[in-house]
Amino acid sequence: KSNFQRNDLTEKKIEDKITGTAIVYKSKHGTCKKIAHIISLFFNEDLIHLVDLSQQKVPDLNGCTQIIVGGNIDIFPSSILQ
C-alpha cells in the first residue's frame, strides 16, 4: 500500500470529453499507476484525471489543458540485443 492520498482525485471510467489535466498511463505491474498518483500530487488543480489505458479506452482529450503520458520501459538482456 502506498502512503499518498488526494481526496479530489478522479480515477474512474471516463466515457465523455474531459477537461483540466489528464495523466494517461498503462501499467502492467502497478508501478506506473503509483507514479501517476504521485505526479498528480504536484498539481493544485481540481480537475486532475487519471486514465489507466489498461482498464479503458482513450477518452476525448481535446478539452485538456495538459496531458501527461506514462508507460513502462522494458530492459532486455544484452544477449537479445546482439
Side-chain angles (χ1 to χ4, degrees), residues 47-80:
L47 295 173
I48 301 276
H49 301 279
L50 291 177
V51 181
D52 184 351
L53 295 178
S54 63
Q55 302 293 320
Q56 63 182 320
K57 298 185 303 184
V58 178
D60 183 357
L61 300 173
N62 285 324
C64 291
T65 54
Q66 300 178 87
I67 301 170
I68 301 168
V69 180
N72 65 327
I73 299 174
D74 290 326
I75 299 175
F76 298 99
S78 59
S79 62
I80 292 175

Side-chain angles (χ1 to χ4, degrees), residues 3-4 8-9 16 19 25 38 44-45 47 57 59 67:
N3 58 359
F4 54 86
D8 61 343
L9 192 62
D16 298 325
T19 59
Y25 65 93
I38 291 168
N44 292 326
E45 296 180 33
L47 295 173
K57 298 185 303 184
I67 301 170

Side-chain angles (χ1 to χ4, degrees), residues 3-44:
N3 58 359
F4 54 86
Q5 289 187 27
R6 185 181 178 114
N7 293 333
D8 61 343
L9 192 62
T10 58
E11 183 178 24
K12 59 185 177 184
K13 296 213 182 244
I14 301 170
E15 302 295 331
D16 298 325
K17 184 172 168 178
I18 61 174
T19 59
T21 298
I23 302 176
V24 181
Y25 65 93
K26 187 169 184 179
S27 187
K28 286 183 189 176
H29 306 288
T31 304
C32 289
K33 182 176 183 173
K34 289 178 188 176
I35 298 300
H37 279 272
I38 291 168
I39 290 171
S40 73
L41 298 175
F42 288 92
F43 290 88
N44 292 326

